Amino acid sequence: MKRFAASTRKVGAARLVVDSLKRVSLTFIGDDHQLNYAVAKVVGSRLGWFPVDGLKVMTGMRKVPDLAALTEPERVATEAELLRGLRNQFRVIATPLPAGAVLQDAVWKDLWGSVIVWIDEDDKSTPKPRTPERQLYEDRAELAVRVKVQKGFGVRGGQTLEGRARAVADTLLPRLSDFLAEKPELTERKRQYVERGCRGDWPELQPAEGSPVVAALDRKPLAGFEEEQSSSRGRASRSSRSVGAGAGGCGRSSSGRLGRPHGRTGGGALGGARWSWMEAGRGGRGGKIHSLEERLEVALGREETSNEESETAIRRAMLMPGGE
């Protein structure tokens, strides 16, 4: 098995999980968000993955002190936007809210790029009813981690949230390691799914050439676009000839024309015009042109030109570097 640098400081199941995940993210779902996020922090510290505090991020996105300030549609839309932003991120752990955006089918195309883990605490004293939400978790989770609630004075720290999270993490990591060992191709297919844009074709990935984004590149231009493009090229060609003609007289200095012919640089007349403009700005009149009149004199070259050519030369002259 290929070893990654991230696993060099890990031991046991954590190291095997890091090597098997290949930087693929994790998503913890369940009906207890506080427990899921606490488990994400414990697992993240052992693997080197970043646990995303969805509540804090969403309140920052909407600039509200608490999610209670948002309506339910606003909260669901905000969470869907957050999960969409996380779909291209590697080595993160997302914890969607119960009865939130995770209930929408459209959101799952953003989640399938990660390994979906269902965390469920089983308390015999208060059995959980079978609801459509729990049925969804059971159907779409790729790994289910069910942990019995530990009670009694002999359970050290078991009643606290941190103690419960450590107990779940101790069960989750070996289970996740065995699950990834049984499906060594899973994480590679997850990476391909993300690289192809999370198109919603999980688990039957379509070929890369079947991507709607790639297909859009082969579409023909809209009607009339070719004519407009040809007309634009024609105007650009006429403008280039005008610039070349208007710049033909450039380069005069107090001692006459510059010694270097306009056409000695590459690009024909236009290339010569570019050389003339640079030389006029640097070498003409002792290296500095002190006024707009002098720049116009250099640009027009005291030669007879058409109105269009003169206008082009004047505009170029106003952009030439001047002296102090």
Side-chain angles (χ1 to χ4, degrees):
M1 179 181 294
K2 185 177 180 181
R3 297 294 179 180
F4 290 83
S7 67
T8 55
R9 296 187 300 273
K10 311 301 179 185
V11 296
R15 177 165 185 164
L16 295 177
V17 170
V18 169
D19 291 338
S20 300
L21 277 177
K22 300 178 182 178
R23 300 176 63 240
V24 171
S25 297
L26 299 170
T27 298
F28 294 167
I29 59 176
D31 48 18
D32 190 340
H33 179 262
Q34 287 186 340
L35 176 63
N36 291 349
Y37 179 62
V39 174
K41 291 193 292 184
V42 175
V43 173
S45 65
R46 297 182 185 181
L47 300 182
W49 267 229
F50 178 74
V52 179
D53 189 348
L55 295 176
K56 185 175 182 179
V57 173
M58 286 190 290
T59 54
M61 291 171 60
R62 294 295 176 249
K63 293 181 172 53
V64 293
D66 188 81
L67 289 183
L70 302 176
T71 63
E72 184 176 352
E74 291 175 338
R75 179 174 59 82
V76 172
T78 303
E79 185 181 15
E81 184 179 352
L82 169 62
L83 296 176
R84 190 180 307 115
L86 292 177
R87 70 181 186 178
N88 297 325
Q89 304 298 320
F90 292 102
R91 296 178 62 185
V92 301
I93 305 177
T95 54
L97 296 175
V102 72
L103 299 182
Q104 298 182 348
D105 290 336
V107 173
W108 280 90
K109 72 176 184 178
D110 301 324
L111 298 179
W112 286 127
S114 60
V115 178
I116 312 297
V117 181
W118 177 24
I119 299 176
D120 188 30
E121 270 192 329
D122 183 16
D123 190 351
K124 293 182 178 180
S125 61
T126 54
K128 298 178 181 179
R130 191 173 185 83
T131 61
E133 181 180 357
R134 289 179 59 81
Q135 184 63 45
L136 175 69
Y137 296 156
E138 184 175 352
D139 294 341
R140 300 194 177 183
E142 295 167 310
L143 176 63
V145 178
R146 292 184 173 90
V147 180
K148 294 182 179 181
V149 176
Q150 300 179 1
K151 296 181 179 180
F153 295 100
V155 181
R156 184 177 180 181
Q159 301 298 328
T160 64
L161 180 62
E162 292 76 11
R164 292 162 55 201
R166 284 194 298 268
V168 174
D170 291 340
T171 303
L172 187 151
L173 287 175
R175 291 284 307 279
L176 181 59
S177 177
D178 295 340
F179 171 76
L180 296 176
E182 294 173 359
K183 298 183 178 181
E185 77 288 349
L186 178 65
T187 51
E188 185 60 35
R189 296 181 68 243
K190 293 279 187 181
R191 291 174 62 89
Q192 293 178 5
Y193 178 80
V194 173
E195 291 169 358
R196 295 177 185 180
C198 298
R199 301 174 296 179
D201 54 355
W202 183 266
E204 302 296 332
L205 300 184
Q206 300 301 316
E209 57 270 15
S211 170
V213 178
V214 177
L217 299 178
D218 297 330
R219 294 177 185 169
K220 294 182 179 180
L222 297 176
F225 181 76
E226 296 92 338
E227 292 78 0
E228 183 180 352
Q229 198 172 28
S230 301
S231 176
S232 299
R233 284 198 295 266
R235 289 195 299 269
S237 177
R238 289 193 299 271
S239 176
S240 298
R241 288 195 296 269
S242 299
V243 171
C250 294
R252 282 178 178 267
S253 64
S254 58
S255 60
R257 291 187 179 275
L258 294 171
R260 192 172 189 178
H262 291 184
R264 290 181 63 180
T265 59
L270 186 58
R274 283 196 300 267
W275 179 83
S276 300
W277 287 109
M278 294 191 330
E279 288 297 319
R282 292 182 216 158
R285 302 189 180 277
K288 291 184 180 294
I289 300 177
H290 295 273
S291 65
L292 177 61
E293 289 76 7
E294 292 178 350
R295 279 182 272 167
L296 290 173
E297 180 183 349
V298 171
L300 297 175
R302 294 185 182 278
E303 295 180 359
E304 294 296 327
T305 59
S306 65
N307 292 336
E308 181 180 0
E309 293 170 344
S310 300
E311 182 180 358
T312 303
I314 291 172
R315 290 179 179 176
R316 297 293 299 272
M318 296 178 70
L319 298 177
M320 289 171 56
E324 297 177 355

